[in-house]
Amino acid sequence: MAAPSLKFKVRHVSPRVAAEERQRLLSDPGFGRIFTEHMVRVRWDEAHGWHGAELVPYQPLTLDPGTAVLHYSQAVFEGLKAFRQASGGVAAFRADAHASRFRNSARRLALPELPEDTFLEAIDVLLDADHEWVPEAPEHSLYLRPLMFASDVSLSVHPAPDVTFLLIASPSGSYFPRGVKPVTVWLSEDFSRAAPGGTGAAKTGGNYAGGLLAQAQATAQGCDQVVWLDSHEHRWVEEMGGMNLCFVFGRDDGAKVMTPALTGTLLPGVTRDSLLVLGRDLGYEVEEGRISVDEWRDGCERGSLTEVFACGTAAVITPVGAVKSAHGAWMVGDGGPGPVSMRLRKALVEVQRGIAPDPHEWLHHARVSSRD
Ligand SMILES: *Cc1c(COP(=O)(O)O)cnc(C)c1O
């Protein structure tokens, strides 16, 4: 492999959090509440390109109120997880796929593309410093959050001449501490997440900000999550909240797993892609296609559509138990988690934790050096 294009300057802090306190925090980390001791920062500007790569103590940012991202939202992010391995050590899941999607998101937001080797080196440097913050418990992980934003000070609208990349990490607990529980979803016909030519395929905060009102509407309807339909007809199913959707037709070994094709308005999920590969490995027929709301309801009523689940890095697989819209409501199967969903979930989690073999080389093993 080529040498990393950037050399990272490493500034360790002596731990602010004592070992016992860290163990206490890691026993029930929740999601996105606690952060590790360090972060990575890399700068970019027009004159110097990428430079100033360093590991520094985790700390607040000081931003001028005129900083461009606060006004025009030129920013992208990623979300991936590092897992403690059954054989010891720590590995990040599909870090290369996240590096490549981060570049694609940046291109769409007119941000500079961070080289993939720098993205991976940032992860290695942070995991080396903070590997003790990777929780041990099954289903727990260290959530890695790379982000990049326009850091120039200017109220004029233009692609940023000055950009900051950060990598922070947050220990994360099980999404379902009391067992996998299906969600009820609300089909949004008043709002759209993404439209052709828009930013739907990029991981950018504006897509989330634009979705909050629909999520609030779903909550007001007694639902857990919002399902996004195509913006033109509000007929074709796209995604659920910040996760992709999969539909299981038939049963047992004859089941077919279908997910909406990537039309440009969907976010190309790494979990979605991984499950398509694992589904095929397990002998299921897998397909990228399209499904309308009418086909979803009719399939459930006739019994041909047996399971529906959402998938993403945070929760892996979340079964969908019931559906509501302005025109009615229906159940999926018996409303409980389906066997194909749970089999796929187990298969993926076992690869992530190094319990099952990794034939597709999805694990990025961290080089953890000993400093004591
Ligand atoms: C991040 C995200 C997903 C899931 O992607 P993963 O790579 O599987 O975590 C799906 N939809 C949206 C809108 C997202 O932002």
Side-chain angles (χ1 to χ4, degrees), residues 107-149:
R107 194 178 319 124
R108 178 61 185 86
L109 272 288
L111 284 161
E113 293 173 41
L114 185 75
E116 290 173 22
D117 59 358
T118 306
F119 184 100
L120 297 177
E121 182 68 7
I123 291 174
D124 286 344
V125 166
L126 188 63
L127 286 179
D128 188 19
D130 286 346
H131 62 90
E132 285 168 331
W133 288 85
V134 185
E136 304 268 358
E139 298 257 333
H140 290 205
S141 60
L142 184 66
Y143 183 79
L144 302 169
R145 170 51 64 88
L147 64 148
M148 189 200 293
F149 59 91

Side-chain angles (χ1 to χ4, degrees), residues 153-239:
V153 176
S154 170
L155 298 187
S156 84
V157 179
H158 56 253
D162 185 303
V163 168
T164 300
F165 167 84
L166 299 174
L167 171 64
I168 58 175
S170 175
S172 140
S174 171
Y175 200 84
F176 297 108
R178 278 168 294 279
V180 173
K181 189 177 157 300
V183 293
T184 299
V185 297
W186 172 254
L187 304 182
S188 180
E189 290 167 302
D190 298 341
F191 301 105
S192 301
R193 191 189 81 91
T199 57
K203 225 166 166 64
T204 183
N207 292 340
Y208 280 74
L212 291 173
L213 203 49
Q215 177 60 44
Q217 195 177 54
T219 307
Q221 294 290 340
C223 296
D224 304 295
Q225 288 284 340
V226 60
V227 161
W228 300 109
L229 306 173
D230 75 288
S231 62
H232 183 54
E233 298 180 88
H234 285 112
R235 176 173 172 212
W236 303 101
V237 180
E238 297 203 327
E239 298 193 60

